[in-house]
Amino acid sequence: MNELRCKVLVIGGGPGGYVAAIRAGELGLDTVLVEDGQFGGACLHVGCIPSKAIIHAADAAHALTEPLALNAIGLTLTAPTLDFAKTIAWKDAIVARLATGVGALLKKAGVRSLRGRATIVDGKSAIAHADTGDQRIVCEHLVIATGSEPMALEALPFDGEDVLSSTEALALTEVPKTLAVVGAGYIGMELGMAFAKLGARVTIVEALPRILPLYDPELTQPVARRLADLGVKTLVEARALSFAKGALKVAGPDGSETTVAADKVLVAVGRRARTAGLGLEKLDLAMAGPFIRVDARSATSMRNVWAIGDVTGEPMLAHRAMAQGEMVAEIIAGARRAFDHRAIPSICFTDPEVVVVGLAPEAAKAAHGEILVGVFPFFANGRAMTLQDDEGFVRIVARADNHVVLGVHAVGAGVSELSAAFALALEMGARLEDVAGTIHAHPTLSEAFHESALKALGKPLHI
Ligand SMILES: Cc1cc2nc3c(=O)[nH]c(=O)nc-3n(C[C@H](O)[C@H](O)[C@H](O)COP(=O)(O)OP(=O)(O)OC[C@H]3O[C@@H](n4cnc5c(N)ncnc54)[C@H](O)[C@@H]3O)c2cc1C
């Protein structure tokens, strides 16, 4: 068997792994990256990018069918038609373009990339099973970045036809007439809303008492209202039991059974670490449940074995994986770094969008005692009105004693783009006075952030 020697071996070319490899290459470390599928991982091929492309297409299609909103700005249209196969081809072209870009960046950084499944032999070597034959790779540092995969329900195994994971739902070439979404976390909600806007009759089935259960109810109420406007039926405290011939059987909170019409069922109940067949048992790693346990440096319990991204558990987000990947490469190159979880934005690209950075009021109170909270609604924001969407608000949470910002949250159209300002405030240790003293451009949605800080300081201007 061929043997390849390197300083850093990265297994998995998703956002965690490819960023780790690029940074390691840029820092002059001899780096090999092994990827089983395609560079870019779940995020680029079956996650962040394809879902946001479909959400954009759904928003565009839906905007043309909202006569009240269109009439208000003087537009009348005849009914549009949608060629969904073309939508999917457009989405695939974006993915292909970005994937080519990742390949070029790896090459530019001097990374040796191999396509094939890697199995770990020990903490210093692995075998890549490539089309061209097996290759043994010996390294000084092993970075595990194998990501995650959709979790099935025992009662509803994926069949690739009707019971789908998000991966297959994002590849449908026809909009189903009826769709049941099992699981009202962010993936189920984003895709469920998008398919409703594309014309599917959607039912959401959630075991907990409300949608987006990991977000606080104040933030999710506008999303629930929009769901109702879109005609999406939501069954909470409900359990999906079985599926046959276009019908999903569901048990309600009292145990009574109902049937939901569903040409397709999207099961979005979570993702699990992708470690099957990796050879993890060859290492003596401490685990955190099904995930690899890491410390603040993303170091595992074995020296010079690192793990990053979804394989290390929540929050399973592409930007967290990338930040860990960049950090690990720099640590291997000799830098002193540690990961700070305080300012990781989490976004639901629902309608309206939801952004959470840092601590919610309850958690802030529990951790820091007395707090200040400022909420500014978009109905008092001129830009939101001109965009015909003034639902939602920005909320800032700060310590009462020194005014240091602990969290910023928002719900509203387009608030995902405000997340950078929120994260920066937390990352820089901003106080309310820093946000209040920053000149925010007018008219923009970001003025709601400014005003939330003014409000927390007891001196609002526009409300
Ligand atoms: C529908 C959907 C929407 C999402 N939207 C967002 C979003 O808007 N924002 C966000 O931040 N996150 C989003 N995510 C989550 C995001 O995709 C993940 O957090 C991110 O991809 C994790 O990156 P990773 O590098 O850890 O793993 P992955 O992206 O899962 O990449 C791991 C890679 O490792 C490869 N691999 C696995 N085992 C082996 C092996 N043995 N040998 C070689 N290669 C191997 C896989 O083929 C894969 O390419 C979404 C996910 C889904 C499913």
Side-chain angles (χ1 to χ4, degrees), residues 106-171:
L106 287 165
K107 211 168 171 183
K108 189 170 147 221
V111 175
R112 285 180 284 170
S113 304
L114 292 180
R115 297 290 279 272
R117 183 153 193 79
T119 48
I120 292 169
V121 176
D122 54 38
K124 296 264 181 260
S125 64
I127 294 173
H129 308 280
D131 288 346
T132 48
D134 287 359
Q135 177 115 42
R136 187 184 170 86
I137 306 163
V138 179
C139 61
E140 289 174 34
H141 293 264
L142 175 63
V143 182
I144 304 171
T146 51
S148 63
E149 56 196 1
M151 228 152 56
L153 284 174
E154 214 177 303
L156 288 174
F158 299 129
D159 62 13
E161 279 286 313
D162 297 325
V163 181
L164 311 175
S165 70
S166 56
T167 299
E168 290 117 13
L170 285 166

Side-chain angles (χ1 to χ4, degrees), residues 11-17 34-38 41-43 46-48 51-52 116-118 145-148 166 170 186-187 271 274 278 308-310 316-319 321 349:
I11 302 180
V34 185
E35 166 56 50
D36 186 25
Q38 289 167 292
C43 167
V46 296
C48 321
S51 62
K52 271 75 234 181
R117 183 153 193 79
T146 51
S148 63
S166 56
L170 285 166
Y186 85 92
I187 292 177
R271 296 178 64 83
R274 194 174 153 188
L278 177 62
I308 55 177
D310 285 10
M316 291 197 213
L317 293 167
H319 41 279
F349 289 82

Side-chain angles (χ1 to χ4, degrees), residues 172-184:
L172 286 171
T173 48
E174 268 179 42
V175 177
K177 283 197 175 58
T178 50
L179 172 72
V181 179
V182 180

